[in-house]
Amino acid sequence: DVKVTQSSRYLVKRTGEKVFLECVQDMDHENMFWYRQDPGLGLRLIYFSYDVKMKEKGDIPEGYSVSREKKERFSLILESASTNQTSMYLCASSLGAGQGYEQYFGPGTRLTVT
Amino acid sequence: AQSVSQHNHHVILSEAASLELGCNYSYGGTVNLFWYVQYPGQHLQLLLKYFSGDPLVKGIKGFEAEFIKSKFSFNLRKPSVQWSDTAEYFCAVFYNTNAGKSTFGDGTTLTVKP
């Protein structure tokens, strides 16, 4: 089974702090994604990466950055956390071209910024 | 812009009732289609998927979905729901022009009353 793990299930940070969310997948997937999930808004894509050191902005990249130094690890960085970044953050990975792009999700990190 | 629309935000059913959740997507050529489910306290997981071939696809737990290309729809169905089907359901569409990322609908919360 594909496993996607996230470093924390719950996180509480203060406004202005730099926040790192880590995600690791164990199936050698090319693609990795970061979403935020908010009630009534579904999943909104923040960033995705289709290869090591490659990244593309999603729908809501403002206030976030990402890092992918190794194929299995994809980090989301909040440079200066704000209260409107309080949310559930989901990491996912998927296979590449020709394999349908079915995504496998981690358990999520519920981030609260106070 | 590519978009996915789920018609119902919240559906309440009694056990043994039939279920149909609507999903429509904007025109975008060749697509792969997915339904994901998130049970309370659990991570998102794949329910079923359509890549090609028979437009009626069957997934886990008795769910099925039908791809109707002329209507740009991929509705999810189950003939008889159970209390354990209480969850949030997301439709997702992968457009082959989209470099590996899928677009998600806003989600439908299903509550099944025992």
Side-chain angles (χ1 to χ4, degrees):
Chain A
D1 272 354
V2 176
K3 197 159 186 184
V4 180
T5 57
Q6 296 183 228
S7 50
S8 307
R9 292 299 302 270
Y10 300 93
L11 209 53
V12 180
K13 295 292 182 180
R14 294 191 181 275
T15 302
E17 279 192 82
K18 191 168 186 176
V19 181
F20 293 87
L21 303 182
E22 303 285 334
C23 175
V24 178
Q25 51 95 2
D26 66 357
M27 282 299 290
D28 204 35
H29 283 174
E30 292 91 341
N31 301 324
M32 295 188 75
F33 309 82
W34 275 106
Y35 297 90
R36 62 177 284 176
Q37 183 180 14
D38 300 288
L41 297 178
L43 274 68
R44 292 181 292 168
L45 182 65
I46 303 171
Y47 268 96
F48 76 102
S49 168
Y50 51 89
D51 202 349
V52 174
K53 296 189 187 294
M54 306 303 287
K55 61 187 179 185
E56 281 202 24
K57 293 180 180 179
D59 301 317
I60 51 164
E62 296 80 17
Y64 304 94
S65 62
V66 290
S67 171
R68 193 169 181 198
E69 297 296 319
K70 294 185 178 181
K71 191 174 186 179
E72 68 270 19
R73 188 179 297 270
F74 192 35
S75 302
L76 179 70
I77 303 151
L78 287 66
E79 296 290 343
S80 177
S82 64
T83 54
N84 63 13
Q85 292 178 309
T86 291
S87 186
M88 173 69 86
Y89 290 87
L90 300 180
C91 176
S93 70
S94 80
L95 294 165
Q99 293 160 312
Y101 297 102
E102 168 187 343
Q103 295 189 29
Y104 297 82
F105 286 86
T109 296
R110 185 165 295 282
L111 173 67
T112 302
V113 182
T114 61
Chain B
Q2 292 140 351
S3 64
V4 178
S5 174
Q6 293 184 236
H7 311 305
N8 312 99
H9 292 291
H10 197 177
V11 173
I12 302 173
L13 295 173
S14 298
E15 276 195 314
S18 65
L19 170 72
E20 181 160 4
L21 301 183
C23 174
N24 285 89
Y25 61 95
S26 59
Y27 175 73
T30 304
V31 294
N32 294 340
L33 301 159
F34 307 87
W35 276 97
Y36 291 88
V37 61
Q38 187 173 34
Y39 298 104
Q42 296 188 26
H43 62 273
L44 269 160
Q45 58 187 286
L46 183 71
L47 199 55
L48 48 77
K49 59 188 177 186
Y50 171 81
F51 294 164
S52 63
D54 188 343
L56 184 63
V57 293
K58 295 190 185 298
I60 60 172
K61 304 188 179 186
F63 286 90
E64 64 179 31
E66 186 175 12
F67 170 48
I68 303 179
K69 191 173 182 180
S70 61
K71 295 185 178 180
F72 306 112
S73 71
F74 189 55
N75 291 354
L76 181 70
R77 300 195 292 247
K78 187 171 183 179
S80 176
V81 295
Q82 301 173 310
W83 176 78
S84 58
D85 293 325
T86 294
E88 191 161 17
Y89 294 81
F90 293 92
C91 180
V93 179
F94 169 72
Y95 299 85
N96 279 339
T97 57
N98 235 10
K101 64 176 184 176
S102 296
T103 300
F104 283 79
D106 290 345
T108 297
T109 300
L110 172 64
T111 301
V112 180
K113 295 184 174 180

